């Protein structure tokens, strides 16, 4: 029996691992302007130790700490919280979310006679969103820990508007979070969360409101910050679990709640409505991606038997058809309607604008042509989205050209970049042209080093060889904490990456270190080819010096100077527009020329995502911009030393055993906020780390060329370059191309 305290708010927070988020969450509760609170924290069998901060809190008399014997789930934990709660009000808070500093105060002040009151929830896209002034209902997700002091900065007090909404409308999103609920209401209506599934449990908490309440107040003031889908690896949010698992859970919940509430008209209507909307959102995906057709056919069929069919009259014909045949167990007829459903969906999406329509027609044509038999000797190559003729795909292409002329090969190229590439000898085909479509849809192999567009469906007999494009220092894909690139959100980026990497059949890895990272960052569990990088074969080839001299001659570069190659990476958060990144040239060319101009020249090489045109007129004969050159490999070969930062270029360059300098003027920001690293860069970088041009000059003057007696360099070489021997392309070809004849 609850012992109710007048006006006290019991905040119930279950948590499982993710200590850094829990701390921020708790801080936001402790910093509440409303002081009569009790915080019930339920450790749901975490395997992480509690942080010192959390341990130190346990003696605070506002805290009630409960530890489950093992992982029991959010519903179980919240239910225990309800039993222990002593407050007049209860508030459910997720442990990776946070409250604005006066959230509880405004909710208590405004609840009046209602059984509950809700505030406005802000979904975080970027950690910087926390500073955006108050607004009304946004969407998306977040990432980075947010300091609670920052939260306290949010002190401007916008006008509070109270709206009365029907519970149906209020709980449209299916979440009970962000509401201050009277304990009396919870007690009277025996509100408990359904413990039979891990997800969707809020629905069971919402139903009593649907049954007993006509209107509920909602305030327009922001009270709650919701993170979603960020720390996907350690604590996958519901949405990131495989769709099969989610559908199984949802149907189980629907069946069980029907047993409990099926006789109550309002509750039944609510349950059926959410079932139908869930069904429409998932059915295409479940039957498209799932190998368990029979299982899901039966499962949906079982649920549909309970559905009140009078609800279906407002549904489109194909949905009604599907549902009818699911119920009758007629798989063939069901599939017919499902195909119609997919067509209708694609068409609906396709007619939203001219660009989409073209894409729709193109995609349909692609799908149609990919039904023709695959061409076994046809291979499509692409490098960096068609911008270059380079990298691992080029090395594989050249190896095949020299050793297996039986293959018919094409090089996919972005027409906007074509004029900068070699004009003869490469069988280009323009990306997304009609010819490209015919070739790509029927090719046996796709070989690329970056992602293919997600809207291109991979034909069932095509083998996709993903070579990737570098040993990672910077955190990649699912391992990134927050994605700062423009035009996407962390959640969207990770989701799309996940989808694309499902299509990869083989992935090339340059070393054991990368294999391990690729497995987790790309969630890749198919065949890894740990072969070394084909692009690095050139370093071990007999024509390497010849290629370097020919290059110098062709481009009129001086014979009597040494070459400094400056090849930095790009910055996710500095851009002109989507896909076009900024780069401030922090290397002072004037100073370099004054100090080193007698002996050296500088080759600038920006990353392919960087869209800057440097004006080097003042440095003629000293600085040359080779950013648009088709392949960085030539630049490695002609250079005597490399200046870079966090780019994967240094893993490749180490093969030459020439000196490297790391010009990392923004290392703290880059390591901290922009990307994060996989290892202790300062300790392991195979060359000096410097932050100013003066230090670069100093390092060049004091540079030793003897890498063999340099322990740090040798350790580095042994760890990252040990597989490189000039035969990586051969290994890849044997494993992928020749084995799949
Ligand atoms: N590159 C280049 N010129 C630069 C930087 C990079 O030509 N100035 C090429 C190199 O081949 C390099 C590759 O692009 O290996 C990847 O560049 P990174 O700077 O490492 O950055 P990114 O494209 O983000 O890839 O696993 C590696 C990561 O994915 C990094």
């Amino acid at each position: 029996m609850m012992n109710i305290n007048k006006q006290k708010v019991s905040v119930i927070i279950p948590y499982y691992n993710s200590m850094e988020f829990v701390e921020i969450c708790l801080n936001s509760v402790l910093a509440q302007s409303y002081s009569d609170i009790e915080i019930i924290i339920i450790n749901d069998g975490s395997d992480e130790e509690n942080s010192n901060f959390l341990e130190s809190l346990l003696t605070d008399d506002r805290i009630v700490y409960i530890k489950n014997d093992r992982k029991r789930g959010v519903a179980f934990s919240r239910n225990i919280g309800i039993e222990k709660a002593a407050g007049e009000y209860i508030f459910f808070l997720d442990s990776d979310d946070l409250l604005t500093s006066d959230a509880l105060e405004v909710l208590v002040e405004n609840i009046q006679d209602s059984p509950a009151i809700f505030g406005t929830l802000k979904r975080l896209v970027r950690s910087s969103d926390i500073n955006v002034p108050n607004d009304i209902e946004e969407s998306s997700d977040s990432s980075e820990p947010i300091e609670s002091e920052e939260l306290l900065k949010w002190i401007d007090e916008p006008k509070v508007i109270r709206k009365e909404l029907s519970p149906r409308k209020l709980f449209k999103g299916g979440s009970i979070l962000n509401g201050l609920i009277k304990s009396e209401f919870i007690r009277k209506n025996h509100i408990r969360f359904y413990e039979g599934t891990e997800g969707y449990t809020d629905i069971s908490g919402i139903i009593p409101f649907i049954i007993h309440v006509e209107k509920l107040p909602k305030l327009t003031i922001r009270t709650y910050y919701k993170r979603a889908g960020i720390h996907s690896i350690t604590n996958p949010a519901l949405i990131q679990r495989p769709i099969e698992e989610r559908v199984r859970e949802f149907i189980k919940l629907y069946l069980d709640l029907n047993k409990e509430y099926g006789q109550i008209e309002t509750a039944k209507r609510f349950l059926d409505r959410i079932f139908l909307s869930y069904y429409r959102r998932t059915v295409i995906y479940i039957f498209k991606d799932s190998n368990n057709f029979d299982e899901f056919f039966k499962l949906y069929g079982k649920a549909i038997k309970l559905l009140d069919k009078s609800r279906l009259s407002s549904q489109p014909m194909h949905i009604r058809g599907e549902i009818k045949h699911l119920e009758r167990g007629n798989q063939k007829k069901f599939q017919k309607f499902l195909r119609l459903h997919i067509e209708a969906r694609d068409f609906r999406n396709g007619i939203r604008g001219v660009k989409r329509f073209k894409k729709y027609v193109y995609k349909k044509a692609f799908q149609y042509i990919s039904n023709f038999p695959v061409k076994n000797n046809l291979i499509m190559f692409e490098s960096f989205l068609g911008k270059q003729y380079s990298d691992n795909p080029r090395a594989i292409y050249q190896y095949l050209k020299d050793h297996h002329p039986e293959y018919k090969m094409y090089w996919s190229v972005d027409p906007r970049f074509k004029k900068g590439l070699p004009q003869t000898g490469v069988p280009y085909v323009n990306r997304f042209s009609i010819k490209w479509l015919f070739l790509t849809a029927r090719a046996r192999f796709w070989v690329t080093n970056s992602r293919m567009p997600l809207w291109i469906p991979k034909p069932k007999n095509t083998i996709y060889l993903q070579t990737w494009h570098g040993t990672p220092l910077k955190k990649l894909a699912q391992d990134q904490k927050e994605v700062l690139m423009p035009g996407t959100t962390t959640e969207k980026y990770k989701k799309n990456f996940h989808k694309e990497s499902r299509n990869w059949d083989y992935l090339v890895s340059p070393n054991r270190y990368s294999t391990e990272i690729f497995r987790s960052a790309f969630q890749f569990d198919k065949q890894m080819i740990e072969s070394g990088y084909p692009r690095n074969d050139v370093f071990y080839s007999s024509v390497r010096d010849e290629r370097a001299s020919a290059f110098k001659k062709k481009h009129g570069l001086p014979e009597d100077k040494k070459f400094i190659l400056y090849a930095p990476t790009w910055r996710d958060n500095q851009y002109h527009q989507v896909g076009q990144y900024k780069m401030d040239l922090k290397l002072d060319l004037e100073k370099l020329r004054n100090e080193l101009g007698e002996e050296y020249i500088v080759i600038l090489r920006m990353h392919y995502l960087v869209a800057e045109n440097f004006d080097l007129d003042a440095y003629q004969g000293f600085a040359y911009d080779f950013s648009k050159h088709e392949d960085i490999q030539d630049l490695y070969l002609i250079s005597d030393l490399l200046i870079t930062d966090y780019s994967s270029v240094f893993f490749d360059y180490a093969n030459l055993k020439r000196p490297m300098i790391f010009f990392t003027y923004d290392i703290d920001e880059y390591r901290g906020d922009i990307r994060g690293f996989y290892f202790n860069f300062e300790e392991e970088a195979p060359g000096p780390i410097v932050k100013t041009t003066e230090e670069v000059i100093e390092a060049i003057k004091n540079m030793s060329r003897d890498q063999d007696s340099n322990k740090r360099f040798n350790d580095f070489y042994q760890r990252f370059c040990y597989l490189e021997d000039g035969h990586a392309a051969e290994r890849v070809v044997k494993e992928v191309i020749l084995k799949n004849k």
Side-chain angles (χ1 to χ4, degrees):
M1 196 54 185
M2 279 185 273
N3 173 19
I4 303 298
N5 269 2
K6 200 96 192 107
Q7 300 297 316
K8 187 189 282 289
V9 179
S10 302
V11 181
I12 298 178
I13 315 173
Y15 72 94
Y16 175 74
N17 293 344
S18 304
M19 212 44 67
E20 57 175 315
F21 295 114
V22 178
E23 283 193 10
I24 295 162
C25 168
L26 282 171
N27 268 323
S28 83
V29 184
L30 292 167
Q32 286 298 301
S33 56
Y34 189 78
S35 57
D36 197 358
I37 53 172
E38 153 189 85
I39 310 173
I40 305 178
I41 41 180
I42 304 112
N43 179 346
D44 189 20
S46 300
D47 21 71
E48 270 177 33
E49 291 283 312
N50 280 342
S51 63
N52 291 340
F53 165 80
L54 191 55
E55 283 296 322
S56 72
L57 264 189
L58 302 186
T59 51
D60 189 314
D61 21 307
R62 287 169 296 177
I63 304 275
V64 179
Y65 176 72
I66 299 161
K67 185 164 191 238
N68 294 341
D69 52 347
R70 60 186 164 84
K71 193 167 192 261
R72 301 274 199 155
V74 176
F76 177 91
S77 307
R78 281 188 188 160
N79 289 342
I80 292 202
I82 292 175
E83 265 156 40
K84 299 277 179 214
E88 189 189 19
Y89 303 109
I90 286 182
F91 188 98
F92 298 107
L93 175 61
D94 276 358
S95 63
D96 50 353
D97 298 342
L98 25 86
L99 297 179
T100 59
S101 52
D102 54 359
L104 297 179
E105 187 184 344
V106 277
L107 292 171
V108 171
E109 262 174 18
N110 287 282
I111 191 165
Q112 299 167 10
D113 292 339
S114 303
I117 184 167
F118 288 76
T120 290
L121 177 145
K122 157 91 175 156
R123 293 175 80 92
L124 293 167
V125 181
R126 309 253 187 256
S127 36
S128 53
D129 284 358
I130 207 90
N131 296 321
V132 176
N134 181 61
D135 43 12
I136 304 174
E137 279 166 317
E138 299 97 333
S139 62
S140 243
D141 66 329
S142 130
S143 78
E144 275 289 279
I146 293 132
E147 301 303 331
S148 53
E149 293 97 76
E150 278 190 54
L151 250 173
L152 297 174
K153 276 194 230 150
W154 184 65
I155 46 168
D156 57 326
E157 274 203 25
K159 214 167 114 226
V160 183
I161 300 170
R162 184 187 155 107
K163 290 183 194 164
E164 296 283 336
L165 301 176
S166 68
R168 213 187 98 197
K169 196 154 179 210
L170 188 84
F171 296 117
K172 212 169 64 193
S175 165
I176 199 163
L177 292 172
N178 198 19
L180 184 78
I181 307 170
K182 286 194 176 143
S183 306
E184 195 194 348
F185 183 80
I186 291 188
R187 234 179 337 141
K188 216 167 91 194
N189 297 298
H190 310 289
I191 294 186
R192 288 292 181 276
F193 292 91
Y194 172 75
E195 295 177 12
T197 58
E198 247 184 79
Y200 309 110
T201 55
D202 281 19
I203 292 170
S204 51
I206 292 171
I207 289 181
F209 287 97
I210 301 283
I211 300 174
H212 301 290
V213 181
E214 292 214 339
K215 292 271 178 210
L216 279 171
K218 177 179 162 105
L219 303 178
T220 53
I221 191 168
R222 184 190 299 170
T223 45
Y224 197 104
Y225 286 102
K226 170 118 209 89
R227 295 175 209 262
I230 302 308
H231 33 297
S232 62
I233 298 268
T234 50
N235 200 1
L238 185 60
I239 188 88
Q240 289 165 323
R241 288 165 38 210
I243 183 164
E244 283 91 346
E245 213 174 286
R246 285 185 274 143
V247 170
R248 279 187 203 110
E249 286 213 329
F250 185 85
I251 293 181
K252 179 171 192 302
L253 175 114
Y254 175 74
L255 296 175
D256 283 350
L257 292 187
N258 250 296
K259 273 188 216 140
E260 202 173 335
Y261 296 105
Q263 303 310 317
I264 305 169
E265 163 68 20
T266 44
K268 174 75 179 139
R269 204 177 321 135
F270 174 74
L271 279 172
D272 284 357
R273 189 175 301 118
I274 52 173
F275 175 82
L276 267 174
S277 110
Y278 191 83
Y279 171 83
R280 290 189 61 168
R281 267 183 290 135
T282 51
V283 66
I284 289 184
Y285 297 99
I286 223 41
F287 288 108
K288 192 176 81 177
D289 296 334
S290 173
N291 298 320
N292 311 326
F293 187 98
D294 288 347
E295 179 199 343
F296 285 100
F297 188 78
K298 273 201 203 112
L299 213 53
Y300 276 121
K302 199 166 160 195
I304 274 162
K305 288 214 169 71
L306 294 181
L307 191 73
D308 177 352
K309 305 298 173 312
S310 66
R311 309 249 148 261
L312 292 178
S313 54
S314 57
Q315 296 292 327
M317 187 266 286
H318 49 268
I319 301 285
R320 275 184 281 138
E322 280 170 13
I323 287 183
K324 187 162 121 194
H325 295 295
L326 272 169
E327 192 176 17
R328 291 187 182 167
N330 189 334
Q331 288 202 6
K332 270 218 171 88
K333 288 200 172 146
F334 165 75
Q335 272 169 324
K336 214 175 88 192
F337 281 102
L338 184 70
R339 275 197 295 275
L340 212 63
H341 187 171
I342 295 171
E343 289 298 327
R345 181 203 57 177
D346 287 356
F347 183 71
R348 229 182 15 251
N349 289 338
I351 53 176
R352 288 196 207 132
V354 177
K355 219 169 139 194
R356 273 185 190 233
F357 184 67
K358 281 191 187 161
K359 209 166 156 183
Y360 167 72
V361 173
Y362 196 88
K363 186 178 156 186
K364 285 285 146 200
F366 193 100
Q367 257 164 350
Y368 180 75
I369 291 164
S370 62
N371 288 327
F372 288 100
V374 68
K375 290 196 166 169
N376 277 320
N377 66 342
L378 180 58
I379 314 180
M380 288 299 285
F381 290 88
E382 186 176 274
S383 177
F384 296 119
L385 312 169
K387 295 178 181 183
Q388 295 186 4
Y389 171 54
S390 68
D391 206 315
N392 294 316
R394 176 174 171 177
I396 295 168
Y397 165 80
Q398 279 177 334
Y399 178 84
L400 278 164
K401 199 171 154 199
D402 293 344
H403 297 87
H404 294 278
E406 68 272 23
Y407 286 97
K408 191 111 185 86
M409 304 188 287
Y410 290 91
W411 194 271
S412 160
V413 67
D414 181 333
R416 292 167 298 181
F417 289 79
K418 202 163 157 185
K419 67 176 188 308
L421 304 183
Q423 294 301 303
T424 53
V426 189
Y428 295 119
V429 44
N430 285 350
R431 218 169 178 240
F432 306 141
S433 62
I434 301 291
K435 184 172 175 190
W436 189 91
L437 178 152
F438 273 89
L439 293 169
T440 310
R442 294 193 63 190
R444 173 71 165 147
F445 300 99
W446 293 351
V447 182
T448 181
N449 64 355
S450 46
R451 289 185 282 161
M452 290 287 281
L454 259 186
W455 56 273
I456 294 283
K458 188 185 141 204
K460 67 175 185 302
N461 290 319
T462 296
I463 289 170
Y464 183 162
L465 167 60
Q466 172 58 251
T467 72
W468 202 239
H469 50 260
T471 295
L473 163 67
K474 344 189 287 204
K475 289 269 169 96
L476 283 177
Q478 310 298 337
D479 290 345
Q480 273 177 258
K481 231 182 191 178
E482 180 169 17
V483 175
L484 297 176
M485 288 170 227
T488 189
T489 64
T490 306
E491 191 177 9
K492 198 158 126 195
Y493 180 83
K494 290 187 175 184
K495 230 168 143 179
N496 285 346
F497 217 117
H498 180 78
K499 242 180 168 175
E500 151 76 4
S501 52
R502 296 317 83 198
N503 284 342
W504 304 353
D505 295 303
Y506 295 90
L507 176 59
V508 178
S509 164
N511 40 48
R512 175 44 55 94
Y513 159 88
S514 300
T515 298
E516 276 160 24
I517 290 173
F518 290 168
R519 286 245 180 258
S520 80
F522 299 144
Q523 295 170 326
F524 179 78
D525 50 16
K526 292 194 218 150
Q527 191 177 339
M528 190 82 70
I529 318 276
E530 200 178 273
S531 54
Y533 262 164
R535 67 184 185 187
N536 291 342
D537 286 349
V538 65
F539 299 134
Y540 299 87
S541 109
S542 55
V543 298
R544 133 186 159 179
D545 297 336
E546 234 171 80
R547 185 165 155 186
S549 312
F551 184 87
K552 284 187 191 169
K553 206 172 268 157
K554 180 173 169 201
H555 293 276
L557 295 169
E559 294 283 349
D560 56 339
K561 291 281 171 67
K562 289 193 192 129
F563 288 37
I564 301 170
L565 170 62
Y566 178 44
T569 196
W570 55 294
R571 304 293 186 275
D572 307 47
N573 61 345
Q574 291 172 28
Y575 48 84
H576 299 287
Q577 51 177 296
V578 174
Q580 303 210 344
Y581 290 83
K582 277 188 195 163
M583 187 79 200
D584 290 338
L585 197 55
K586 291 275 181 351
L587 195 64
D588 188 332
L589 293 176
E590 188 65 43
K591 283 189 185 146
L592 276 182
R593 181 166 60 185
N594 291 343
E595 295 285 333
L596 304 166
E598 292 279 303
E599 207 181 333
Y600 289 96
I601 64 159
V602 174
I603 303 283
L604 297 181
R605 165 70 173 192
M606 295 306 119
H607 189 274
Y608 75 92
L609 289 173
V610 168
E612 302 289 359
N613 285 313
F614 297 119
D615 180 4
L616 297 180
D617 280 356
Y619 302 100
Q620 264 185 21
F622 177 66
Y624 299 80
D625 186 2
F626 276 93
S627 300
K628 304 250 156 37
H629 181 64
E630 75 231 22
D631 194 350
I632 194 173
Q633 240 61 11
D634 293 312
L635 310 178
Y636 295 151
L637 293 179
I638 60 166
S639 62
D640 295 276
L641 73 112
L642 169 74
I643 304 175
T644 184
D645 46 17
Y646 327 106
S647 174
S648 58
V649 298
F650 67 91
F651 295 100
D652 292 10
Y653 197 76
N655 284 285
L656 288 167
K657 301 196 171 176
R658 294 175 193 165
M660 291 182 257
I661 295 166
F662 295 87
F663 180 39
T664 56
Y665 49 88
D666 58 351
I667 189 162
D668 294 330
E669 189 197 2
Y670 198 92
R671 188 205 304 100
D673 299 334
I674 303 182
R675 265 299 179 100
F677 295 147
Y678 282 112
F679 58 82
N680 189 328
F681 185 52
E682 280 100 327
E683 271 175 23
E684 295 181 45
I689 296 192
V690 297
K691 286 189 173 172
T692 61
T693 301
E694 285 79 6
E695 288 172 340
V696 170
I697 295 169
E698 202 52 36
I700 294 178
K701 287 184 175 168
N702 297 326
M703 188 174 69
S704 154
R705 304 208 143 263
D706 175 20
Q707 299 283 39
D708 284 331
S709 55
N710 177 343
K711 172 158 183 345
R712 186 149 135 173
F713 179 85
N714 282 320
D715 289 348
F716 182 89
Y717 187 94
Q718 288 312 324
R719 186 165 175 211
F720 299 108
C721 309
Y722 66 99
L723 287 175
E724 309 290 8
D725 61 357
H727 297 283
E730 183 183 337
R731 285 190 281 273
V732 173
V733 165
K734 283 196 171 140
E735 200 53 38
V736 182
I737 311 288
L738 304 186
K739 278 201 182 161
N740 286 290
K741 275 200 164 173

